[in-house]
Amino acid sequence: MERVFSKLRNLDAYPKINEDFYNRTLSGGIITLVASIIMVVLFVNELGLYIHSYTETQLVVDTSRGGKLHIHFDITFPAVPCSLLSLDARDISGEEHFDIRHDIFKKRIDSHGAVIEVRQDGIGAPKIEKPLQRHGGRLEHNETYCGSCFGAETADDECCNSCEEVREAYRKRGWGMTNPDLIDQCKREGFVQKIKDEEGEGCNIHGSLEVNKVAGNFHFAAGKSFHQSTFQLFELISLQSDTYNISHRVNKLAFGDSIPGVVNPLDGVQWTQEAQNGMYQYFIKVVPTIYKGVRGRTIDSNQFSVTEHFKGSDLGLFQSITGVYFFYDLSPIKVTFTEEHVSFFHFLTNVCAIIGGVFTVAGILDACIYHSQKAIKKKVELGKFG
């Protein structure tokens, strides 16, 4: 057994020196102190990298097909009343949606930005006694109300029971409503008075859209749009002014759920109109993005980049409709963010490398200084220095 222990002692790579032979120096103490500080700083930095996650980015070709694109928006128009503000959307597949009201909310705001009223667009209409029936008479007690569409109905049994339904029927026909006072539903609902009451007000419109995952646009305009031939027109009623101030602030615009660490470029952007009527255009490139969290959470969303342009109305009504337009297109490249943690063994390896590396370099430096001092001292004693 003693022979085995003896052989093990011969393998000792760390031979011990008797303390009587130690020679402690001032330079060695300074180097030890500096090396200790460096090791502590590097250790704390490595510990921070271990505790916090890091993100790997990968670019691949987007091979997904079909699907929907979810658009979330919150935009404030300080000088456009809510009654005149409409939202439309269309895409290159030919799908069109005019005067969208589902999941759209509007806030009437005064000139100082204070909220006057919040309402969901297109919901509700006042009940008026004895409104005009489709057949021309007034509603009696034992009758069911069926309002006239004033020639815009597409079927004999079609009813228009509110001003909005009449305007929708006109839109489908490609007609514009020029005088709401002649429409019984608009008159009894106080449509004209409502527009007059909102004069000088602004509007905050927010909500969400679900569109096809193809290139297209959505836009906000003063007036209700309708489609006729190959042009998109707007119902410019006599109550509206000749010019519109489409100054606006984009409080939020996102194509999908929010991604940690990603700030959308249009959030908080404000534009003030200085010229006459025109269309303010945002050209957006949507980049499909997948975020994979360190705890297994996956977010399938989008990032986007944007450029802006203002186009005046001097080219005519059909070429330039007053409003704010968002034209979007999809990038063929998909970005994948993967959040990862440094493994414990990787952390342990780096800590050992820090301690060993700093200790070794400090030892070499101390040996160089010690032997240099010793050589200089010896030369001084022999009178050969200098």
Side-chain angles (χ1 to χ4, degrees):
M1 184 64 69
E2 182 65 28
R3 184 179 298 176
V4 174
F5 288 157
S6 177
K7 289 183 177 181
L8 288 176
R9 278 194 292 271
N10 292 333
L11 294 176
D12 186 6
Y14 310 99
K16 312 303 184 292
I17 301 175
N18 195 309
E19 291 186 3
D20 294 338
F21 297 97
Y22 283 154
N23 184 17
R24 302 184 185 276
T25 62
L26 176 62
S27 61
I30 295 174
I31 291 174
T32 302
L33 178 61
V34 173
S36 300
I37 294 174
I38 293 175
M39 282 190 283
V40 170
V41 171
L42 292 178
F43 173 77
V44 171
N45 180 70
E46 193 64 33
L47 182 62
L49 294 176
Y50 172 69
I51 294 175
H52 298 93
S53 60
Y54 66 95
T55 303
E56 288 284 346
T57 304
Q58 183 181 15
L59 301 179
V60 296
V61 175
D62 186 10
T63 57
S64 61
R65 294 177 293 177
K68 294 289 185 179
L69 192 62
H70 299 275
I71 304 173
H72 307 281
F73 60 87
D74 183 348
I75 302 177
T76 300
F77 293 86
V80 180
C82 287
S83 296
L84 301 182
L85 190 63
S86 67
L87 170 62
D88 308 309
R90 57 169 52 183
D91 59 46
I92 59 173
S93 69
E95 187 168 323
E96 300 175 324
H97 300 278
F98 299 107
D99 193 16
I100 301 171
R101 288 175 284 176
H102 183 66
D103 290 333
I104 306 298
F105 298 86
K106 293 180 179 180
K107 295 179 183 178
R108 292 173 55 195
I109 57 176
D110 60 22
S111 57
H112 303 290
V115 177
I116 300 173
E117 178 190 18
V118 180
R119 66 168 182 261
Q120 186 169 0
D121 201 17
I123 301 299
K127 295 182 179 180
I128 306 296
E129 292 187 3
K130 292 191 175 183
L132 186 66
Q133 288 277 58
R134 181 167 58 87
H135 55 67
R138 289 289 175 177
L139 177 66
E140 299 299 333
H141 181 69
N142 58 350
E143 287 184 317
T144 300
Y145 177 53
C146 179
S148 172
C149 296
F150 298 88
E153 57 271 358
T154 56
D156 292 338
D157 58 348
E158 182 178 358
C159 302
C160 296
N161 295 340
S162 68
C163 184
E164 285 293 337
E165 290 180 3
V166 176
R167 301 177 77 190
E168 178 67 14
Y170 269 51
R171 185 194 63 77
K172 290 179 180 178
R173 285 281 193 176
W175 301 349
M177 185 186 298
T178 58
N179 192 351
D181 279 332
L182 300 179
I183 307 299
D184 182 71
Q185 290 89 328
C186 297
K187 187 175 180 180
R188 64 185 172 85
E189 290 177 13
F191 176 76
V192 176
Q193 187 60 42
K194 182 168 63 173
I195 293 179
K196 290 181 178 179
D197 291 342
E198 294 184 8
E199 187 175 353
E201 294 180 1
C203 185
N204 170 265
I205 181 169
H206 63 277
S208 60
L209 290 175
E210 186 179 80
V211 297
N212 295 324
K213 202 172 181 179
V214 296
N217 77 82
F218 63 96
H219 50 271
F220 302 88
K224 304 293 183 177
S225 64
F226 61 92
H227 191 269
Q228 187 177 62
S229 300
T230 58
F231 297 106
Q232 184 179 358
L233 308 177
F234 279 79
E235 172 195 338
L236 304 176
I237 62 176
S238 58
L239 294 169
Q240 297 173 329
S241 61
D242 295 332
T243 59
Y244 300 94
N245 185 346
I246 56 171
S247 298
H248 59 277
R249 174 183 172 86
V250 181
N251 304 306
K252 175 186 176 183
L253 181 64
F255 290 79
D257 297 330
S258 60
I259 301 174
V262 175
V263 178
N264 295 317
L266 283 181
D267 289 0
V269 170
Q270 185 167 340
W271 178 77
T272 302
Q273 178 176 329
E274 297 178 354
Q276 293 296 319
N277 281 354
M279 54 193 299
Y280 198 79
Q281 303 165 312
Y282 293 97
F283 297 94
I284 297 171
K285 179 67 72 173
V286 179
V287 182
T289 303
I290 295 178
Y291 174 83
K292 297 179 180 179
V294 70
R295 298 183 178 178
R297 183 181 60 150
T298 299
I299 301 175
D300 193 350
S301 187
N302 301 277
Q303 302 178 83
F304 66 90
S305 61
V306 61
T307 57
E308 308 170 19
H309 176 68
F310 179 74
K311 179 181 178 183
S313 60
D314 53 344
L315 297 178
L317 174 64
F318 298 112
Q319 287 79 13
S320 181
I321 302 298
T322 300
V324 179
Y325 289 69
F326 296 85
F327 297 91
Y328 56 88
D329 196 3
L330 296 169
S331 170
I333 302 299
K334 176 184 289 186
V335 179
T336 301
F337 293 126
T338 305
E339 193 179 43
E340 296 180 353
H341 262 311
V342 175
S343 68
F344 176 74
F345 289 105
H346 189 276
F347 166 71
L348 190 61
T349 302
N350 287 352
V351 170
C352 292
I354 289 171
I355 296 174
V358 174
F359 185 81
T360 301
V361 172
I364 295 172
L365 182 62
D366 177 61
C368 291
I369 294 175
Y370 174 74
H371 288 295
S372 297
Q373 288 178 339
K374 190 175 181 181
I376 293 172
K377 185 177 181 180
K378 188 174 182 180
K379 286 185 178 183
V380 170
E381 291 176 351
L382 296 175
K384 295 181 179 181
F385 186 78

